[in-house]
Amino acid sequence: MRRGTALLGLLFVAALSVPASAAGPSLLFDVSSGKVLYAEDQDNQWHPASLTKLMTAYLAFEAVKSGKLALTQKITCSAVANAEPPSKVGLPIGGELTVDKALQALIIKSANDVAVMLAEAIGGSEGDFVTKMNAAAQRLGMSRTKFVNPNGLPADDQVTTARDLAKLSRAIVTDFPEFAHYWSMPQMRLGKNRVRSHNGLLDTVEGADGMKTGFTCDSGFNIVASATRDGRRLVAVVLGDSSSADRDTRAAGLLEYGFQQTGLTQVFNTQTVDNMPLNPSAEGAKSVRASIESWACNPKPHIINAHKGGKKTAKKGAKKDKDAVKAAQANTEADTTTGTLQTEVKPVLRAEEE
């Protein structure tokens, strides 16, 4: 199904009309040529949240391709991995997953414990794996990126840029085409449960085939989204939106715009993710917590506590709300995927955690 030019225009206008205070950097590029089709604040540093797992997956693919790991090999949950906060698979200490299932859990469920399991299997320890992450980042030309953990849990020093994520995603696509199916899987089975991907564009954008979302209160809603049409693959990097809806709209609009940039419109475009000049006034990372449209990031107790009933009921409701807000805040900081708090109270805006 081809979208018309009217829809294209609406999507692109919507994508670029998000208030500056509520949207972060973005970059759109062609994977085969590396040509940049659109860029804004591409060198500003940002907290990657679970987009960190793109690098964890990159090194895992590298380990499988080199023979260090096998997809059928089982890796073990250590005490360190077990102690990671949600989102997680929740294996007990000594529990095992195959590398294949671990990669699915890493990419689809965004499991923080599994990221550490893979890190330890590849690097020997989480710290040594992080050293490998930073070495790979430098090798790929990710000059404004620093990793301090393999899963993207909040850390002031863990930063990247839209351009650096473009370089990483391009390397994943070009270096490891045999693992492309992991990024395009809409869901996975985990025990008796089905876990759906947070990448809603897989269901709504023509040709969408990856890659990863991420969210914490400080980073906002992030995505690296790819789509392929007629053999042409584009990737959009969108960081710091105030809601998942804004993030998806901006990414979808950029992709639709990019697929119209063909022929003569790109003949004289020689700007790539590698040769585009570094912005000398690029900024450091900042928190966007205050702009996030999430009850978990910015609770409104005076609204949440509007329970019906007498003083006793209101007091009990207030205590429940207070406990729920604390749990939601803690879980959001931990990049969770649970949504159970919505059954406890009626939040102003449901927290979507990834």
Side-chain angles (χ1 to χ4, degrees):
M1 179 180 68
R2 282 277 185 251
R3 288 156 173 75
T5 55
L7 178 58
L8 166 66
L10 286 173
L11 277 171
F12 192 57
V13 168
L16 301 184
S17 63
V18 178
S21 60
S26 61
L27 190 148
L28 174 71
F29 73 99
D30 187 302
V31 172
S32 62
S33 65
K35 282 187 177 182
V36 174
L37 307 179
Y38 181 86
E40 183 175 4
D41 297 330
Q42 68 276 1
D43 294 316
N44 283 4
Q45 289 181 317
W46 211 263
H47 298 302
S50 281
L51 296 187
T52 299
K53 294 180 176 90
L54 289 165
M55 178 58 83
T56 301
Y58 178 87
L59 291 176
F61 294 154
E62 191 174 69
V64 172
K65 196 167 185 176
S66 70
K68 181 177 178 62
L69 292 181
L71 290 176
T72 55
Q73 176 183 340
K74 291 185 177 181
I75 58 175
T76 304
C77 182
S78 67
V80 175
N82 174 264
E84 292 297 282
S87 169
K88 63 195 292 183
V89 169
L91 287 175
I93 297 173
E96 296 180 323
L97 280 179
T98 63
V99 171
D100 173 61
K101 187 63 73 173
L103 285 167
Q104 293 180 45
L106 178 80
I107 294 168
I108 299 169
K109 182 171 174 56
S110 201
N112 294 321
D113 51 352
V114 173
V116 173
M117 289 169 63
L118 285 166
E120 292 174 336
I122 297 166
S125 70
E126 184 178 1
D128 287 342
F129 182 78
V130 170
T131 299
K132 289 180 178 291
M133 294 174 76
N134 286 312
Q138 290 303 304
R139 188 171 70 246
L140 294 173
M142 300 169 66
S143 60
R144 286 178 58 77
T145 293
K146 181 180 179 182
F147 294 111
V148 299
N149 64 51
N151 46 32
L153 288 171
D156 289 343
D157 291 340
Q158 184 134 306
V159 293
T160 189
T161 68
R163 186 212 295 258
D164 284 358
L165 288 168
K167 292 179 179 180
L168 174 57
S169 57
R170 188 182 186 209
I172 289 171
V173 172
T174 57
D175 294 352
F176 305 112
E178 65 270 38
F179 301 121
H181 62 284
Y182 287 110
W183 304 107
S184 61
M185 292 176 67
Q187 62 183 7
M188 66 172 292
R189 183 173 289 279
L190 201 55
K192 296 181 180 180
N193 301 317
R194 286 189 181 276
V195 178
R196 288 197 60 81
S197 170
H198 287 290
N199 185 359
L201 300 188
L202 292 174
D203 298 321
T204 60
V205 171
E206 179 189 352
D209 48 18
M211 296 182 65
K212 186 80 182 71
T213 64
F215 166 71
T216 64
C217 290
D218 290 323
S219 74
F221 290 84
N222 304 336
I223 190 170
V224 172
S226 70
T228 304
R229 297 180 191 172
D230 300 326
R232 185 182 181 212
R233 189 168 191 175
L234 304 183
V235 171
V237 181
V238 166
L239 304 176
D241 277 289
S242 59
S243 70
S244 59
D246 285 346
R247 173 189 66 192
D248 290 354
T249 296
R250 196 153 62 115
L254 286 170
L255 288 169
E256 293 295 342
Y257 166 78
F259 281 116
Q260 299 299 317
Q261 305 306 299
T262 58
L264 290 177
T265 61
Q266 287 301 310
V267 167
F268 300 107
N269 178 12
T270 60
Q271 187 168 259
T272 71
V273 294
D274 295 311
N275 68 20
M276 183 168 48
L278 182 70
N279 182 356
S281 59
E283 300 175 356
K286 60 184 178 182
S287 171
V288 293
R289 178 183 293 266
S291 69
I292 300 304
E293 297 176 10
S294 167
W295 164 74
C297 299
N298 296 296
K300 297 178 175 61
H302 63 289
I303 297 176
I304 296 172
N305 290 337
H307 294 286
K308 293 183 179 180
K311 291 183 178 180
K312 186 175 181 180
T313 302
K315 188 174 182 180
K316 287 178 66 178
K319 184 180 186 303
K320 178 184 283 189
D321 291 340
K322 186 176 180 180
D323 292 343
V325 168
K326 285 183 178 179
Q329 288 173 319
N331 284 344
T332 301
E333 288 294 331
D335 234 16
T336 67
T337 56
T338 60
T340 55
L341 289 175
Q342 64 179 326
T343 63
E344 295 288 335
V345 294
K346 293 181 179 180
V348 179
L349 290 169
R350 176 180 174 272
E352 177 184 348
E353 301 100 0
E354 303 168 8

